[in-house]
Amino acid sequence: ERLLKSCLQHLVDAVTNEYVVCRQFFKRDAFEQLFPPTLQLLLEQLENYLFGCYDALCILLMIKVTHQFRRSAQIRKIHCLDGFFDQMSHLLWPRLKNVMELHLRSIKQATPTSLGGVDLHAHYVSRRFAEFTCSVLLILQKGNKTPSVGSVSLDETPRKEGRKSLGGPVSATPSPSKRLASTSNNVPATEGRIPKAAVTKPSAGDMLLQDLNELLDEYIALLERLSEEHVVNIKKIVFMINNLDQAVCIFQERRVAGGKELNRILELLMLQRELFVEEELLQGFSKMIAFVQQTEASLAAGSATDQTVNIQVVESLVREFASNWRSGMETINRNVLSYFSNFRNGMEILKQVLTQLLLYYTRFQDVIRKVYKRQPPAFTKDLVPTTLILAEIKKYALAI
């Protein structure tokens, strides 16, 4: 892309100088006599390079450079290069589309064996995907960074034909849209106008973003396939969280925020965190959680009373929680620290798990009060105060 930028810079400057000199001294334009061989050489060299180029970011940067110098030539009112820039766009955009399809195919066909195995930590595919996506969004200026002065948007499709220029057309026939524009000063504004709905179509930049969304879909599907290598369900969830969290971290490091891609990854990350919270609590407090869910459903249906609820089961749950809740929190803390490589992410999940534990226990106490509202059993004195549990949670929060 640096070589292309240098070549186009010299080309635009040379065409501008020759145009000014020929107009001033010879009263005519000599573009057709001077530059076609040069333009043909540049197009041939570009086509030969693109034939073996699989670098999507390089091609995208070359497209941006092409648009930049197209704008530069138009500002100088040198329209004789429009056809040349159109031909460059017709070489660059299809090749970029082809390379994106190759990326999609590689992700679709990827298997755990071909990718070198799977563990609980983030896979290298996540870093590659996130960095590639961030780079594309920043080049397209769809990220959060402020575009620089003179930057060019890529949200326009390459035109099929060049328009008539000051120095004569490079392509044989001007496009209908350009003929319409060239005659706009000679006809009424209402004549020959094409309805906006009739010409509206996705731009090349929009189609690239669509390819990026498809790439995101395939990346998520690949993570799900890789997670199936783990037998235990909680390890599948941990694998998903570590990979999604790494993608989010890279987006934040590159200051790419607010896009559909990042929002979707964040939604999936939040969902996986909620699943992990439930799975982790079921390992140490499954009996209490099951009792709460079943009894709340019975209370809602009006079938739960102090006669139907087994008081021995409730008493055993109360005493078991009173004796094991601190050790259960320590076990949760150790598991979270061992599962998640990102410390900050792990601490956020730890707080979420402990908070959900407190909510379950609060619901457990409410169920006991509703079932035994006439006469509370003697074992209710063994219920752990929620303030004590909250104080223990704060200790873990202060350790962050």
Side-chain angles (χ1 to χ4, degrees):
E1 60 268 18
R2 289 182 179 272
L3 292 175
L4 179 66
K5 182 178 180 180
S6 178
C7 290
L8 293 182
Q9 180 70 64
H10 287 295
L11 175 65
V12 172
D13 290 342
V15 171
T16 303
N17 293 332
E18 292 296 334
Y19 176 80
V20 172
V21 170
C22 290
R23 282 293 184 181
Q24 288 182 352
F25 289 92
F26 304 106
K27 305 303 180 183
R28 67 185 185 88
D29 185 14
F31 178 84
E32 288 295 333
Q33 289 75 34
L34 295 175
F35 288 99
T38 303
L39 301 183
Q40 188 64 29
L41 176 62
L42 289 175
L43 291 173
E44 290 178 358
Q45 293 297 322
L46 177 62
E47 186 174 9
N48 292 335
Y49 173 76
L50 291 177
F51 183 76
C53 180
Y54 297 91
D55 188 348
L57 298 180
C58 172
I59 300 173
L60 189 58
L61 286 172
M62 288 194 290
I63 291 173
K64 186 163 187 175
V65 169
T66 302
H67 280 265
Q68 178 183 353
F69 283 102
R70 180 199 292 269
R71 295 283 181 86
S72 177
Q74 289 174 349
I75 291 173
R76 300 179 186 185
K77 300 186 184 304
I78 306 298
H79 298 296
C80 53
L81 287 174
D82 284 354
F84 167 72
F85 287 129
D86 287 339
Q87 294 179 61
M88 289 190 63
S89 295
H90 283 293
L91 290 175
L92 291 167
W93 279 111
R95 183 57 185 172
L96 178 61
K97 177 69 174 178
N98 189 19
V99 172
M100 291 297 294
E101 290 175 353
L102 292 175
H103 282 304
L104 283 170
R105 190 185 310 167
S106 67
I107 295 182
K108 287 181 180 179
Q109 298 176 352
T111 62
T113 304
S114 64
L115 296 178
V118 176
D119 56 18
L120 289 179
H121 299 295
H123 202 277
Y124 65 86
V125 171
S126 295
R127 173 169 290 278
R128 290 184 180 182
F129 165 79
E131 290 180 345
F132 177 78
T133 304
C134 289
S135 299
V136 172
L137 291 175
L138 288 175
I139 294 174
L140 289 174
Q141 297 174 358
K142 299 296 182 181
N144 201 31
K145 288 188 176 180
T146 304
S148 58
V149 178
S151 59
V152 181
S153 174
L154 302 182
D155 289 339
E156 57 181 272
T157 54
R159 293 169 295 186
K160 292 185 178 179
E161 300 177 11
R163 68 177 179 181
K164 188 173 182 180
S165 65
L166 294 177
V170 175
S171 58
T173 308
S175 64
S177 61
K178 297 306 174 183
R179 291 201 300 268
L180 178 63
S182 65
T183 58
S184 61
N185 294 329
N186 302 322
V187 297
T190 57
E191 293 185 13
R193 178 172 295 179
I194 301 175
K196 185 176 181 181
V199 298
T200 301
K201 61 180 181 179
S203 67
D206 292 335
M207 289 187 284
L208 178 59
L209 289 175
Q210 183 178 355
D211 290 339
L212 211 58
N213 288 330
E214 293 179 8
L215 195 67
L216 175 59
D217 293 338
E218 294 301 328
Y219 163 70
I220 295 172
L222 174 61
L223 289 184
E224 292 174 352
R225 294 199 303 271
L226 294 178
S227 67
E228 293 299 323
E229 292 295 298
H230 296 288
V231 179
V232 183
N233 190 39
I234 193 170
K235 290 187 176 181
K236 297 178 182 179
I237 299 173
V238 170
F239 175 80
M240 293 291 295
I241 291 176
N242 281 329
N243 282 274
L244 295 172
D245 177 68
Q246 184 177 67
V248 170
C249 289
I250 292 175
F251 271 80
Q252 293 173 346
E253 290 172 1
R254 303 294 186 272
R255 299 180 183 178
V256 179
K260 293 187 295 184
E261 295 80 10
L262 177 59
N263 290 337
R264 184 175 176 189
I265 295 175
L266 284 171
E267 290 175 2
L268 289 173
L269 178 59
M270 295 300 106
L271 176 61
Q272 294 297 324
R273 282 181 174 180
E274 292 174 3
L275 294 176
F276 175 81
V277 168
E278 296 298 327
E279 287 289 335
E280 183 64 26
L281 289 177
L282 286 176
Q283 293 188 8
F285 304 95
S286 58
K287 294 180 181 179
M288 183 189 70
I289 294 173
F291 173 81
V292 169
Q293 294 173 345
Q294 294 173 4
T295 310
E296 283 180 341
S298 300
L299 286 171
S303 59
T305 64
D306 55 354
Q307 303 297 325
T308 58
V309 177
N310 191 329
I311 192 171
Q312 286 81 15
V313 172
V314 179
E315 182 177 4
S316 64
L317 290 175
V318 170
R319 300 190 187 282
E320 181 180 356
F321 185 87
S323 59
N324 298 331
W325 68 277
R326 278 196 174 90
S327 60
M329 282 188 176
E330 292 176 0
T331 302
I332 292 173
N333 181 49
R334 286 195 303 269
N335 289 341
V336 169
L337 292 179
S338 63
Y339 284 149
F340 303 106
S341 53
N342 185 347
F343 180 75
R344 186 174 297 277
N345 176 52
M347 290 299 100
E348 290 295 329
I349 294 175
L350 176 62
K351 288 193 294 183
Q352 195 172 345
V353 175
L354 297 181
T355 302
Q356 185 65 23
L357 174 61
L358 177 61
L359 292 176
Y360 269 127
Y361 192 66
T362 302
R363 289 163 60 185
F364 178 63
Q365 292 179 335
D366 292 339
V367 165
I368 294 176
R369 294 190 186 97
K370 290 177 182 178
V371 172
Y372 303 102
K373 55 185 176 181
R374 297 180 181 178
Q375 184 178 0
F379 59 78
T380 55
K381 68 179 186 301
D382 294 326
L383 289 171
V384 181
T386 55
T387 54
L388 185 60
I389 300 175
L390 184 60
E392 192 72 16
I393 294 176
K394 289 181 178 179
K395 291 180 181 179
Y396 288 101
L398 292 175
I400 299 176

